Amino acid sequence: MTKTSDVIDEFASYIDWLNTLSGLDESMWEKSIATDKWSIKAIVLHIAHWDNHLLNVIVPAVKTGEAMIFPEFDSFNARATQKAKRLSGENVFQLAKTSRSSLIETLQSLSQETLTSHTMANGVTHCPHHGVPYTLAYIVTEFIEHDRHHQQQVGSILGKTS
């Protein structure tokens, strides 16, 4: 089993990747993965939106022994992509760095017990894909995979246009 500190360190490595986007011009922030798909800006804000949900909803619930509640994904994601249209790439970049940094700092402050205590996610005790009991640490590993998926998408955009 991976140590929770290693999980948090891996989750924090997203900031290093995010820093590779520093200095992108606005036209690059607007590039999409495909026609009618998200732009780099929308992808990055989407991740920040989830970071804020973890920071403001999930972590406080777990700290008080409550279950984790995740919103309906499509409408939640739509709010982030709509907001991205109103912000500059630099604004999104700064928001993303701030939200992930705050989340990492909060996760690092939690006890091992809080990170590994069994909880529920939307009324379910175990991940339906892996059969693993839900814990905050496990949810963070799921979000690491989520980050990687979107990092690959952005990499494909930058690879096509550079």
Side-chain angles (χ1 to χ4, degrees), residues 22-137:
S22 177
L24 281 184
D25 64 36
E26 197 60 34
S27 66
M28 289 303 294
W29 280 106
E30 296 292 342
K31 291 277 184 197
S32 298
I33 56 175
T35 304
D36 296 327
K37 296 293 183 180
W38 291 351
S39 65
I40 293 174
K41 189 168 62 169
I43 289 168
V44 171
L45 192 62
H46 157 80
I47 293 170
H49 205 56
W50 280 109
D51 284 354
N52 286 324
H53 184 75
L54 290 173
L55 181 64
N56 298 314
V57 177
I58 299 300
V59 171
V62 170
K63 283 172 67 173
T64 60
E66 297 172 38
M68 299 181 288
I69 301 295
F70 291 94
E72 194 281 316
F73 296 156
D74 290 340
S75 60
F76 185 84
N77 292 339
R79 285 192 299 277
T81 57
Q82 287 303 311
K83 184 176 179 179
K85 292 176 183 176
R86 299 188 303 269
L87 298 173
S88 71
E90 181 61 27
N91 288 141
V92 168
F93 174 74
Q94 293 302 329
L95 284 169
K97 282 184 67 168
T98 299
S99 61
R100 181 58 60 101
S101 296
S102 296
L103 179 54
I104 293 302
E105 190 176 303
T106 299
L107 291 170
Q108 289 171 332
S109 75
L110 298 175
S111 69
Q112 183 73 13
E113 181 182 347
T114 300
L115 290 164
T116 60
S117 65
H118 293 191
T119 186
M120 289 193 294
N122 291 358
V124 178
T125 60
H126 289 68
C127 172
H129 306 292
H130 300 108
V132 176
Y134 280 122
T135 66
L136 184 54

Side-chain angles (χ1 to χ4, degrees), residues 2 7 11 136-146 148:
T2 307
V7 170
F11 194 56
L136 184 54
Y138 180 77
I139 290 298
V140 171
T141 65
E142 292 284 298
F143 274 91
I144 290 169
E145 292 304 314
H146 178 252
R148 288 182 181 148

